[in-house]
Amino acid sequence: MKISFNWLKLYLDTEVSIKFICKILTDIGLLVENLKKIKNLNSFQEDYLIELNIPPNRRDVMSHYGIARDLNIALKSRGFKSKMKDLPSVSIFKKEINFKNLKCFIEKNKKCIRYSYTTLSNIKVLDSPNWLKNYLNNIGCISTNNILDIENFILYELGKPIRIYDLDKIKNFSLSLKESPNKFLFNKKFVSSKKDLILFNDKNPICIAGLLVNNNFIVEKFTKNIFIESADYSAEYIYKIAKKYNIKNEFSIRFERGLDPNLNIYALKRAALLIKKLSGGKISSKIVDFSPEKPEKNIDIFIRFNKINKIIGYNLNFIKIKEILILLKIKVLKENFNGLKIKIPLYRKDITREIDVIEEILRIYGYNHFNCKEKISFSCKKRNFLLKKEKMIENMISNQLNSHGFYEILNSSLTEKKYSKYENNNFYEKILIFNSKNQNFSFLRDNLLFGILEKISSNKYKFFEWGKKYFFYKKNILENKTLGIICAKNNNSFFKFKGIIEQLIIRCGINVDNQKIYKDLLIENGISFNYKKNIICNIGYIKKAILEEFEIFHNILYADINWDIILLLLKKEEKSFFKKKYHKYNFTLYRRDISLLIEKKISFEEIKKLSFYKENKILKKIHLLDEYNSKNFPFGKKSYTISFFFQNFKNNLTETIIEKTINNLKFIFIKKIKAIIR
């Protein structure tokens, strides 16, 4: 935002230099980005242009008067001589002549908080005087005429948007503010206004909520009578309508942040008196004021002294706290040993909580004015190193997947409603987005699968995505970083895909020996890799009902890797599987394979349990190498090829011992599950 130093001095009386004022403004959170010396038009008086970066929540300082008020508070709290000048009086405002009756009807609507207007007659549209041109030109606002320049002057003086229309062009003198389902022609463009607040002249639209104005009603050279409005709309509504019509200007910025409805009447009277002075017009109506919504109430907050001192890390004087609150025009209702009950002024809509008040106290007192005995230092080196390490591992995994022909994709975190029917989960709830622009995409995703399935095309069948899943669990919102991988069509060999996933996890330094049969709402005929009670990854075929939703008619494999668990295990480097232990004995693994013909109902987990019998102390791990079904097999039979790994301990493992163990395993399989050794 740009402000003029000479304009600022209309409301603030201080002898502090411009450079020190810039320092104070930066200290209280209004960052000065640039200071420029300028010369006024048709005048030898110099001025300074100050460019400020205003925080989004501080709509109360988006004007010269608002900045002067905040600056005065800061200067006084630091002991400097400063006085806030009163705004020009509007007590002489009164109706001077009668004009034709103007009927105005405002429908009750939550989007309109307050609407006020007045009218002036017999005005003359002229060139603006030099003082008005100078103020506007110095901040980069181009002068138009004495009427429209007043509109901009009020905006930058008070931060209150007003609109001025040609009253003679409103033929039937009938105005209403209402929602309309029709389309209108605004400035040669059709506007769909189904849910928009429209100011009408009978059936002809004048403007949309003070933002989009019909050019047919603006003030021109021969305008004689004018209509001035000062409105206050819902900030949320203005944000949506400004985004809808791609409006970004000084009016929309202030409306979006919320306005002080108590400023409506003063802004109207101030504008009317200025126009009367510059154009020679007469006030032809009283202030007509509508409040469709209940007037806003001041917020009461209780602030605790111990909380203030805990947050700022310094025992701030009780008297100083009260002094700052009084300067901020925050009324103290009650006080006791523990704290103060205070009332927030309406123009400070950004203060709604105790922490907001503490921030204001700290801001005005000055962040650099604390004489702390202890120095507090923070080091981010360790955190930065961990983030760098995590990113390095992600890149390594991505590169490995690329080498196997997988393409990385990126999807939105929002998902469609229609996918909810496949996710009736009793363990957690989906997170609903209430103000979603597209009502179909109104949930945060709790899996990556559906987004990846949408990307499957005729020539690419291997994808992976890094993303987060979101869900409610025990009244808490949880985020889970996940790596989702899909392999489709001719690349869907289960064991080949499983091998790729195993390589990824092993490369992270994690043991994947603990494997179990797995299925859930999305996948079937799968397995999971587990560490203790946590599932590191699950792999399986996507259910046919889901594939039909996407018109996919071939099997697709999907892997869901819980990356948060992997990162957690990586941080716990004391775990044995992350450390390379060296021992005087040789720990070479010896492998033997056995092919079994068994019944289809027998799972790999049953075979695994039978293999690790009590006497079998040399068997380290077993892997399912292959599963095979054939029409040539007896009915209800399948073939498993299993790899057994034996560990050499104390150099006493011989071929005889391994063969003896293999024979014992075969005997157990034949006896317990009636297997046929192939």
Side-chain angles (χ1 to χ4, degrees):
M1 178 181 171
K2 296 178 181 180
I3 62 169
S4 162
F5 182 59
N6 288 346
W7 197 345
L8 193 67
K9 288 194 292 184
L10 291 178
Y11 319 107
L12 184 67
D13 186 10
T14 181
E15 295 179 357
V16 178
S17 68
I18 179 64
K19 289 185 178 179
F20 191 76
I21 281 177
C22 291
K23 183 181 177 182
I24 294 292
L25 286 170
T26 300
D27 192 35
I28 61 175
L30 307 177
L31 179 63
V32 176
E33 295 183 330
N34 191 23
L35 177 64
K36 185 180 178 182
K37 194 173 184 179
I38 53 177
K39 287 186 178 181
N40 289 328
L41 295 172
N42 304 317
S43 173
F44 295 103
Q45 188 181 9
E46 291 182 340
D47 195 2
Y48 288 93
L49 177 66
I50 306 172
E51 293 186 33
L52 295 174
N53 187 348
I54 306 293
N57 63 325
R58 293 299 309 279
R59 61 105 188 140
D60 60 296
V61 292
M62 295 199 71
S63 64
H64 283 78
Y65 181 78
I67 291 168
R69 179 174 52 198
D70 220 40
L71 189 56
N72 178 60
I73 293 168
L75 289 170
K76 279 188 173 181
S77 70
R78 287 160 172 77
F80 294 97
K81 288 184 178 180
S82 178
K83 185 180 178 181
M84 194 69 186
K85 298 178 183 178
D86 293 332
L87 284 167
S89 174
V90 292
S91 59
I92 61 172
F93 178 92
K94 65 177 181 179
K95 183 180 177 181
E96 297 173 297
I97 61 171
N98 290 321
F99 194 69
K100 291 181 180 180
N101 290 330
L102 180 68
K103 295 180 181 179
C104 186
F105 172 70
I106 307 297
E107 286 189 347
K108 188 174 181 180
N109 196 307
K110 291 181 180 180
K111 297 173 185 176
C112 181
I113 298 169
R114 190 173 187 179
Y115 189 87
S116 312
Y117 77 88
T118 189
T119 60
L120 274 82
S121 300
N122 303 325
I123 65 157
K124 292 181 180 180
V125 180
L126 305 167
D127 199 21
S128 295
N130 286 337
W131 68 265
L132 182 55
K133 282 183 180 179
N134 287 336
Y135 284 141
L136 294 176
N137 288 332
N138 287 352
I139 61 171
C141 185
I142 299 172
S143 175
T144 307
N145 56 54
N146 57 344
I147 306 302
L148 295 180
D149 284 356
I150 293 299
E151 187 179 277
N152 288 322
F153 182 81
I154 296 297
L155 177 71
Y156 292 109
E157 179 188 49
L158 304 174
K160 180 68 181 178
I162 63 168
R163 284 292 188 186
I164 303 174
Y165 309 109
D166 190 331
L167 189 57
D168 293 323
K169 294 178 181 179
I170 307 173
K171 296 178 181 178
N172 296 322
F173 303 103
S174 175
L175 295 169
S176 61
L177 195 67
K178 60 184 179 181
E179 292 188 9
S180 172
N182 302 321
K183 287 186 177 182
F184 301 101
L185 189 64
F186 263 73
N187 308 334
K188 298 181 180 180
K189 290 183 180 179
F190 279 100
V191 170
S192 174
S193 55
K194 187 176 180 181
K195 295 183 179 180
D196 301 339
L197 289 179
I198 310 292
L199 188 66
F200 283 99
N201 165 34
D202 278 349
K203 295 182 180 180
N204 298 319
I206 299 173
C207 76
I208 299 179
L211 294 182
L212 195 62
V213 180
N214 191 337
N215 289 340
N216 295 329
F217 294 91
I218 64 173
V219 175
E220 294 177 335
K221 186 177 180 179
F222 300 105
T223 298
K224 295 296 181 185
N225 305 300
I226 58 172
F227 175 92
I228 313 173
E229 73 165 18
S230 179
D232 189 20
Y233 303 105
S234 162
E236 183 182 351
Y237 164 68
I238 292 294
Y239 171 78
K240 288 181 179 179
I241 196 173
K243 196 170 183 180
K244 177 180 177 182
Y245 297 118
N246 195 25
I247 302 169
K248 190 72 173 179
N249 54 35
E250 296 294 337
F251 283 70
S252 66
I253 290 170
R254 285 162 177 79
F255 274 127
E256 285 173 16
R257 301 183 184 193
L259 300 171
D260 182 3
N262 292 335
L263 204 56
N264 274 32
I265 305 302
Y266 178 84
L268 272 181
K269 290 181 177 180
R270 172 81 166 135
L273 291 172
L274 279 172
I275 292 172
K276 177 187 172 184
K277 181 181 178 181
L278 299 182
S279 69
K282 301 289 183 181
I283 299 170
S284 55
S285 78
K286 295 180 180 179
I287 298 291
V288 181
D289 186 30
F290 294 91
S291 296
E293 277 294 292
K294 292 181 180 178
E296 295 182 65
K297 294 182 180 179
N298 299 71
I299 298 173
D300 294 350
I301 300 174
F302 185 80
I303 56 170
R304 298 160 289 175
F305 296 131
N306 62 344
K307 184 72 172 179
I308 295 171
N309 296 330
K310 184 179 178 181
I311 293 294
I312 66 178
Y314 180 78
N315 291 327
L316 196 59
N317 193 334
F318 164 74
I319 297 172
K320 189 64 178 177
I321 292 173
K322 285 190 69 177
E323 179 189 325
I324 292 172
L325 292 175
I326 292 168
L327 287 172
L328 288 165
K329 296 185 179 179
I330 296 175
K331 190 182 289 185
V332 178
L333 301 176
K334 291 181 183 179
E335 59 179 275
N336 55 37
F337 180 76
N338 295 321
L340 303 169
K341 186 179 181 181
I342 57 176
K343 180 172 281 189
I344 309 299
L346 277 176
Y347 74 86
R348 291 304 304 270
K349 290 186 179 181
D350 56 306
I351 303 176
T352 57
R353 304 167 299 167
E354 181 185 21
I355 191 66
D356 296 331
V357 181
I358 296 171
E359 183 185 350
E360 281 299 296
I361 293 169
L362 181 58
R363 184 178 68 88
I364 298 301
Y365 187 79
Y367 298 106
N368 301 320
H369 292 175
F370 295 102
N371 298 318
C372 298
K373 294 180 180 179
E374 297 181 4
K375 291 184 179 180
I376 302 172
S377 61
F378 298 91
S379 176
C380 299
K381 288 183 178 179
K382 187 174 180 181
R383 176 63 181 162
N384 289 338
F385 173 76
L386 290 172
L387 289 172
K388 190 175 180 181
K389 185 179 178 182
E390 290 171 8
K391 194 65 182 174
M392 183 183 69
I393 294 169
E394 286 183 24
N395 290 336
M396 177 187 71
I397 297 302
S398 296
N399 291 336
Q400 188 162 332
L401 284 167
N402 290 149
S403 69
H404 287 290
F406 288 87
Y407 295 86
E408 184 173 4
I409 59 172
L410 183 65
N411 288 306
S412 169
S413 295
L414 297 176
T415 187
E416 292 193 54
K417 281 183 180 180
K418 62 181 181 180
Y419 300 143
S420 300
K421 60 186 176 183
Y422 302 112
E423 304 170 299
N424 297 322
N425 201 316
N426 297 324
F427 298 102
Y428 61 82
E429 296 179 29
K430 295 174 73 69
I431 299 175
L432 176 64
I433 305 296
F434 290 103
N435 59 346
S436 177
K437 186 176 180 181
N438 188 335
Q439 293 184 356
N440 290 328
F441 291 85
S442 55
F443 287 96
L444 282 174
R445 65 183 177 188
D446 57 354
N447 68 77
L448 307 185
L449 175 61
F450 299 118
I452 303 176
L453 283 174
E454 289 172 351
K455 297 295 184 292
I456 290 181
S457 62
S458 59
N459 59 342
K460 292 183 177 68
Y461 305 98
K462 300 168 87 173
F463 295 108
F464 71 95
E465 179 184 8
W466 298 94
K468 285 189 176 183
K469 301 189 290 189
Y470 308 87
F471 46 87
F472 277 116
Y473 181 70
K474 294 182 178 179
K475 297 183 179 180
N476 295 316
I477 296 176
L478 301 181
E479 296 181 13
N480 176 221
K481 188 163 187 179
T482 305
L483 172 59
I485 308 171
I486 265 186
C487 186
K489 217 166 184 179
N490 297 327
N491 302 300
N492 62 356
S493 168
F494 180 86
F495 291 101
K496 183 179 178 181
F497 185 64
K498 173 176 169 284
I500 292 171
I501 305 304
E502 278 183 329
Q503 286 177 8
L504 299 180
I505 298 174
I506 291 170
R507 193 165 185 188
C508 293
I510 297 174
N511 192 342
V512 293
D513 289 342
N514 190 5
Q515 302 176 16
K516 295 182 179 179
I517 301 297
Y518 181 85
K519 65 177 181 178
D520 63 12
L521 296 169
L522 304 176
I523 67 174
E524 57 188 357
N525 299 330
I527 61 170
S528 64
F529 300 152
N530 305 277
Y531 175 73
K532 294 185 177 179
K533 293 183 179 179
N534 298 310
I535 297 177
I536 296 173
C537 169
N538 53 65
I539 307 168
Y541 289 99
I542 300 171
K543 291 188 174 180
K544 290 182 179 180
I546 297 173
L547 295 178
E548 288 173 1
E549 179 77 37
F550 295 88
E551 297 182 357
I552 299 172
F553 304 103
H554 51 266
N555 291 334
I556 294 182
L557 285 161
Y558 178 63
D560 186 273
I561 301 176
N562 190 334
W563 196 250
D564 281 344
I565 295 292
I566 289 178
L567 292 179
L568 185 65
L569 296 175
L570 286 171
K571 289 174 185 176
K572 296 179 180 179
E573 293 185 356
E574 71 274 10
K575 298 296 179 181
S576 59
F577 52 77
F578 287 112
K579 293 185 177 181
K580 292 183 179 179
K581 291 186 177 181
Y582 297 94
H583 199 276
K584 63 180 180 179
Y585 301 116
N586 182 17
F587 287 93
T588 306
L589 291 177
Y590 295 88
R591 172 181 163 182
R592 295 291 185 274
D593 296 339
I594 300 177
S595 290
L596 305 172
L597 189 65
I598 56 176
E599 293 184 7
K600 286 187 176 181
K601 64 180 181 179
I602 297 171
S603 67
F604 176 70
E605 285 299 309
E606 292 181 55
I607 297 173
K608 191 174 181 179
K609 287 179 182 179
L610 290 173
S611 301
F612 288 99
Y613 59 91
K614 290 182 180 180
E615 291 79 12
N616 192 356
K617 297 179 180 180
I618 63 170
L619 183 62
K620 178 65 177 176
K621 59 183 179 180
I622 70 170
H623 283 174
L624 181 59
L625 186 63
D626 186 30
E627 180 182 357
Y628 181 64
N629 291 284
S630 175
K631 295 179 181 179
N632 297 326
F633 291 161
F635 179 76
K637 298 286 185 178
K638 65 180 178 181
S639 174
Y640 269 174
T641 300
I642 303 169
S643 295
F644 297 85
F645 295 87
F646 301 95
Q647 189 178 67
N648 188 4
F649 184 69
K650 293 185 179 181
N651 291 327
N652 63 352
L653 186 62
T654 63
E655 194 69 31
T656 306
I657 295 173
I658 293 173
E659 287 300 324
K660 184 179 179 181
T661 306
I662 288 291
N663 291 331
N664 289 338
L665 288 170
K666 289 179 179 179
F667 177 76
I668 291 170
F669 296 149
I670 293 169
K671 185 177 180 181
K672 297 290 184 180
I673 58 175
K674 298 180 181 179
I676 300 172
I677 309 299
R678 299 182 66 203

